[in-house]
Amino acid sequence: MTTQRKPFKTEVQQLLDLVIHSLYSNRDIFLRELLSNASDAIDRLKFEALSAPDLLATDPHPKITLVPDKAARTLTIRDNGIGMNAAEVEANIGTIASSGTRRFLAELKERKGSSLPELIGQFGVGFYSAFMVADRVVLHTRRADAEAAAGVRWESDGSGEYTLEEAPKAERGTEIVLHLKEDMAEYLEEWKLRKIIKTYSDFVEHPIVLTTPAEDGKSAPKEETVNSQKALWQRPKNEITAEEYAGFYRHLSHDFDEPLATLHWQVEGATTEFRALVFIPKSAAFDFLAPERRQHGLQLYVRRVFISDHCEELLPPWLRFLRGVVDSGDLPLNVSRELLQDNKQIRSIRNNLVKKVLDTLTEMKEKEREKYETFWKAFGPVLKEGMHLDAANREKLQELMLFGSAAKAEGALLSLAEYVAAMPEGQKAIYYASGESRKALENAPHLEAFRAANWDVLLLTDPVDDWVMQGLTEYAGKPLHSVTKGGAADLPPVKADAATDQPAASEDEMKPLLAFMKQHLGEQVKDIIASRRLTESACCLVADEHSMGAHMEKILRAMHKDAPPTRRILEINPAHPVIRAMAGLAARDGQGTLLGDYTDMLHDQALLTAGQPVNDLLQFTRRVSRLMADAAAKA
Ligand code: ADP
């Protein structure tokens, strides 16, 4: 291979331009990123060496070396890890998964430059952060299982292109030489490097050795291991400071914030032995919900040997927001994927973990409500999935759910237990409304009578809520009902119009009207009944108890466009002046076109308030005009 000159992918270049030209609050993180790559490379080597011990034969001691050279203004980061071959260099360094990058760039535009360092970390474009401090970067690497001649040299100044060439390398691993920008010379200072390592990389398992020239300039250079290297989770809890925990969390999660909660415990049981250090983040990474970022799980170590980065078997998907490490004392070192998938120890760790996390959240909810609400707002929609997926933990999970409610101010949250405790006498069921937003729900006519009776209604606005509620038909002996479904039979019947106090049309007076409307609307509705849930509006549509809610139907129809609409029940308010007048009309003349127009208008109104289109827009406007002309002529 001769020297090849290659352009960066457009998006890589855009990213580099941003990294190079924007202003940052914190450039120090470039070193954290490169040290973390070096440490990962050593972990990977150690893992491969489990089945190929020869890889470690000549150079058995993993090490990361840092060499500042003031004369040359270069900072070198060297590791004796797995290294890369030419194809890997090209795949890993010249390109980045483009869908991710596109979103990253879009996000940057929105947030401007200020939070760039956090985003760089979150996105795993760590290597490029080298260009925050260097105007030329040379990477020289050789894969551990290849001949010296197979070494590769990659070089770029970050503007448009990079070069790739063969370059024999005697030692395995990767060396990165940063030619520092003129004003970045502070990254050659020992104190500065020491400080960054202590802050960000102290717990890196492998020694980070700072090499500096001897004072006299003649003897061998000074070598000093700067990081304490002790795997944090192996240390006793009471010896670890909050800063150390936070530092480790940042290293794992690439989050810039502190964790919301830190769980550190160990189990030495009859069936299993492990240590776990698990963090609950404060907020979801901005791309948390993106499908391609759905990898979850914890890092798995076996007796301090790194095994896997996202061990999904350790966590159910509804806890995928957790970050952390599990170190097992009794799994075999050569665990394979297959073994992990059906393993007694892993299952037992997972059960213990789930219990620990749920207990922690339960306690947080009881003792630190505000903190818990922060958690719930960030990850409630994920945790709720467990209601559906994990029957064994449903009872604990239902206590952890919080909802907004119609009686409470926007932003206030309520648990099911709190809702039940506040139920007035006479109310038998727990009522909820589900929809896209609080605003839409608050304005729904279905809530009117509940409001009048002082019965609170839970407002469910997460897309998963309808699905979750299917798994929850009862709580504390009380059935759960959607206000847009079924009869609401425990509501008192409507006696009079709220505005005028005129008495409602009686059951007998309603009969001819209901009969006419049923005949007129025919198949368009499932039934027409006198409502108990309306006090202000004239009408609304409800689903019968066992059919799908309107919101759920909308979601499904968005996915399968041809799904037929479910027929709804049209409820009309016997106290409303329009209905009373129509009842009178129906009693006198059950057949008139006027009554037909009114009936269609009511149905269309009900469709519109339910967020559905009217059946025939042209007919609709004609009817409105006809009725307006009538009324205007009489005015
Ligand atoms: P990330 O580390 O988040 O994947 P980077 O841009 O920092 O993103 O690195 C991209 C990839 O390049 C890494 O995933 C790894 O495969 C490879 N890489 C980076 N540094 C090294 C190194 N020192 N040794 C071996 N491979 C490396």
Side-chain angles (χ1 to χ4, degrees), residues 33-34 36-38 40-41 44 79 82-84 88 92-93 96 121 123-128 139 141 173-174 176 254:
E33 296 298 319
L34 297 183
S36 144
N37 282 350
D40 290 350
R44 252 173 286 161
D79 68 66
I82 189 76
M84 287 177 272
E88 286 168 328
N92 295 334
I93 308 291
I96 18 182
F123 238 99
V125 287
F127 174 78
Y128 297 95
L139 176 142
T141 183
T174 303
I176 296 169
H254 297 292

Side-chain angles (χ1 to χ4, degrees), residues 113-143:
S114 64
S115 48
L116 186 60
E118 297 98 284
L119 289 180
I120 287 178
Q122 274 186 21
F123 238 99
V125 287
F127 174 78
Y128 297 95
S129 64
F131 287 99
M132 291 180 8
V133 297
D135 46 24
R136 193 151 69 88
V137 176
V138 180
L139 176 142
H140 191 191
T141 183
R142 194 202 95 199
R143 211 172 187 307

Side-chain angles (χ1 to χ4, degrees), residues 10 48 52 54 81 99 116 390:
T10 323
E48 287 195 16
D54 281 357
S99 75
L116 186 60
D390 190 340

Side-chain angles (χ1 to χ4, degrees), residues 18 26 34 70 259 290 297 337 374 394 444 487 516 540 558 600:
L18 271 159
N26 185 1
L34 297 183
K70 287 188 177 163
R337 278 267 112 204
T374 305
R394 196 171 289 162
F516 172 85
C540 69
D600 288 327

Side-chain angles (χ1 to χ4, degrees), residues 49-302:
L50 292 174
S51 50
D54 281 357
L55 287 177
L56 278 170
T58 48
D59 182 5
H61 302 295
K63 178 169 157 185
I64 302 166
T65 313
L66 217 55
V67 191
D69 181 337
K70 287 188 177 163
R73 207 181 336 120
T74 58
L75 177 63
T76 302
I77 296 122
R78 194 182 297 141
D79 68 66
N80 56 2
I82 189 76
M84 287 177 272
N85 58 32
E88 286 168 328
V89 171
E90 222 179 318
N92 295 334
I93 308 291
T95 327
I96 18 182
S98 61
S99 75
T101 314
R102 216 170 294 128
R103 251 205 341 276
F104 173 78
L105 291 168
E107 180 75 11
L108 271 185
K109 273 200 198 103
E110 226 157 79
R111 293 211 206 170
K112 302 283 166 0
S114 64
S115 48
L116 186 60
E118 297 98 284
L119 289 180
I120 287 178
Q122 274 186 21
F123 238 99
V125 287
F127 174 78
Y128 297 95
S129 64
F131 287 99
M132 291 180 8
V133 297
D135 46 24
R136 193 151 69 88
V137 176
V138 180
L139 176 142
H140 191 191
T141 183
R142 194 202 95 199
R143 211 172 187 307
D145 53 9
E147 302 289 311
V152 187
R153 209 178 108 102
W154 177 101
E155 176 171 346
S156 177
D157 63 2
S159 63
E161 315 181 308
Y162 60 88
T163 59
L164 204 58
E165 66 189 330
E166 258 166 26
K169 187 170 184 295
E171 309 84 22
R172 66 160 190 260
T174 303
E175 177 178 276
I176 296 169
V177 181
L178 307 177
H179 295 263
L180 296 177
K181 297 179 184 173
E182 221 172 282
D183 56 345
M184 292 294 141
E186 64 173 319
Y187 292 112
L188 299 170
E189 300 295 338
E190 247 177 272
W191 66 267
K192 177 78 181 174
L193 296 170
R194 197 173 285 127
K195 186 161 162 251
I196 303 180
I197 295 168
K198 276 289 178 194
T199 310
Y200 292 111
S201 313
D202 194 48
F203 36 76
V204 166
E205 239 195 290
H206 315 293
I208 301 174
V209 178
L210 184 59
T211 308
T212 42
E215 314 259 300
D216 59 11
K218 291 185 210 111
S219 1
K222 236 179 13 178
E223 292 208 338
E224 179 201 344
T225 299
V226 180
N227 58 331
S228 64
Q229 261 175 277
K230 180 114 179 134
L232 202 67
W233 62 90
Q234 296 284 356
R235 284 166 47 191
K237 246 168 110 158
N238 55 7
E239 287 175 16
I240 305 173
T241 65
E243 284 73 41
E244 285 177 302
Y245 276 129
F248 185 61
Y249 165 71
R250 290 188 183 115
H251 163 79
L252 277 181
S253 66
H254 297 292
D255 191 349
F256 223 56
D257 220 336
E258 288 165 9
L260 183 74
T262 301
L263 288 60
H264 186 186
W265 77 106
Q266 77 186 85
V267 170
E268 275 163 358
T271 50
T272 186
E273 180 192 326
F274 71 94
R275 284 167 189 265
L277 175 53
V278 172
F279 299 98
I280 303 175
K282 260 190 200 154
S283 57
F286 69 91
D287 59 340
F288 178 66
L289 292 172
E292 67 270 35
R293 301 277 292 181
R294 271 204 135 188
Q295 51 177 333
H296 72 278
L298 302 173
Q299 284 194 346
L300 175 66
Y301 283 72
V302 171

Side-chain angles (χ1 to χ4, degrees), residues 421-493:
M423 273 166 58
E425 215 166 302
Q427 183 183 350
K428 306 246 166 16
I430 298 170
Y431 287 100
Y432 66 90
S434 59
E436 263 148 51
S437 69
R438 182 181 173 95
K439 198 154 190 73
L441 291 175
E442 270 178 336
N443 293 334
H446 306 83
L447 262 62
E448 289 169 4
F450 291 91
R451 211 174 282 135
N454 262 327
W455 293 8
D456 201 358
V457 174
L458 299 174
L459 301 179
L460 277 47
T461 49
D462 283 328
V464 293
D465 281 337
D466 273 314
W467 184 60
V468 168
M469 284 309 182
Q470 282 177 10
L472 184 70
T473 49
E474 191 191 275
Y475 173 83
K478 311 263 184 294
L480 271 94
H481 284 309
S482 161
V483 297
T484 60
K485 277 191 202 174
D490 52 346
L491 274 171

